[in-house]
């Protein structure tokens, strides 16, 4: 379970930490637009929270988090296509999908501990999961920061198309999310 927490936070903090500056600087979004997009993400999260809860009641939190990670991974893929020309659509797509996924991820992470850990060890397990994944999330941000600086200072292109650091980070986050999906599928769901 701790590995699920770690993979999720590593994926999340590897890219989300840099989205704000990208939206303001490279994509040229106004603060009003950024706020509006954030609100749409919150609304999508609210609308899907009950759906995910019902899904978990029928299928299990392991199955739910797998589906939430799939939605989150697709969201990261949307962000890969965020350029100054397509940014508004890609960022809205990402934000909506991220909100939908988050409608289940937070409750699933906590409830996985309750599903797999004996009652006398749950609070300790939850604390270890939160602490370890928090440290990994912070370290992930630190580790990708030099990559962001390098890409931003290099004016990188691929097949003549400008490549932005946040697109590369979104690919990295998507890969980490796929690893989390595989882990949940092969370890947690099979064990269940």
């Amino acid at each position: 379970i701790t590995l699920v927490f770690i993979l999720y936070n590593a994926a999340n903090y590897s890219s989300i930490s840099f989205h704000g500056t990208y939206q303001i600087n490279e994509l040229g979004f106004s603060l009003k637009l950024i706020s509006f997009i954030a609100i749409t993400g919150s609304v999508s999260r609210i609308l899907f929270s009950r759906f995910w809860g019902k899904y978990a009641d029928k299928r299990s939190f392991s199955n739910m988090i797998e589906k939430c990670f799939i939605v989150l991974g697709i969201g990261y893929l949307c962000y890969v296509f965020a350029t100054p020309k397509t940014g508004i659509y890609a960022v809205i797509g990402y934000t909506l999908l991220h909100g939908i996924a988050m409608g289940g991820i937070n409750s699933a992470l906590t409830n996985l501990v309750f599903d797999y850990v004996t009652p006398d060890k749950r609070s300790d397990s939850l604390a270890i999961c939160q602490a370890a994944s928090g440290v990994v999330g912070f370290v992930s941000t630190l580790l990708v920061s030099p990559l962001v600086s390098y890409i931003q200072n290099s004016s990188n292109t691929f097949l003549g198309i400008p490549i932005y650091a946040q697109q590369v980070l979104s690919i990295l986050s998507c890969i980490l999310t796929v690893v989390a999906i595989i882990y949940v599928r092969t370890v947690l769901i099979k064990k269940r």
Side-chain angles (χ1 to χ4, degrees):
I1 309 271
T2 305
L3 188 56
V4 175
F5 275 77
I6 286 172
L7 287 169
Y8 165 69
N9 272 356
N12 209 25
Y13 287 103
S14 291
S15 61
I16 286 181
S17 303
F18 302 95
H19 285 182
T21 58
Y22 185 58
Q23 291 173 14
I24 292 170
N25 296 333
E26 286 85 357
L27 300 181
F29 290 180
S30 69
L31 293 179
K32 285 181 183 178
L33 179 58
I34 292 170
S35 297
F36 174 75
I37 292 171
I39 290 168
T40 62
S42 296
V43 169
S44 69
R45 180 178 180 165
I46 291 166
L47 293 175
F48 275 84
S49 290
R50 178 168 272 176
F51 165 79
W52 287 125
K54 288 179 182 178
Y55 184 87
D57 287 344
K58 291 179 184 173
R59 307 285 172 133
S60 79
F61 285 102
S62 306
N63 283 309
M64 181 180 86
I65 201 162
E66 179 196 33
K67 303 307 180 274
C68 290
F69 282 163
I70 290 169
V71 173
L72 184 63
I74 295 168
Y76 287 130
L77 280 179
C78 283
Y79 215 90
V80 170
F81 298 100
T83 65
K85 290 182 180 178
T86 62
I88 186 78
Y89 307 109
V91 172
I92 288 174
Y94 161 79
T95 304
L96 289 172
L97 291 169
H98 183 266
I100 291 167
M102 291 307 297
I105 288 174
N106 282 340
S107 66
L109 288 173
T110 303
N111 282 297
L112 282 174
V113 173
F114 288 101
D115 279 353
Y116 288 92
V117 179
T118 58
D120 59 315
K121 296 180 181 169
R122 286 177 179 163
S123 60
D124 293 339
S125 297
L126 195 54
I128 289 169
C129 289
Q130 293 285 356
S133 63
V135 169
V136 168
F138 177 73
V139 170
S140 298
T141 302
L142 291 178
L143 290 175
V144 298
S145 291
L147 176 64
V148 171
S149 297
Y150 172 77
I151 293 172
Q152 288 176 334
N153 295 330
S154 299
S155 299
N156 289 318
T157 59
F158 178 73
L159 300 174
I161 302 168
I163 301 295
Y164 297 94
Q166 287 77 0
Q167 293 172 305
V168 174
L169 296 181
S170 292
I171 292 169
L172 174 63
S173 291
C174 186
I175 291 168
L176 289 169
T177 303
V178 168
V179 171
I181 293 165
I182 293 168
Y183 180 77
V184 168
R185 166 66 46 192
T186 58
V187 176
L188 296 183
I189 293 175
K190 276 195 174 180
K191 184 177 182 180
R192 196 126 178 97

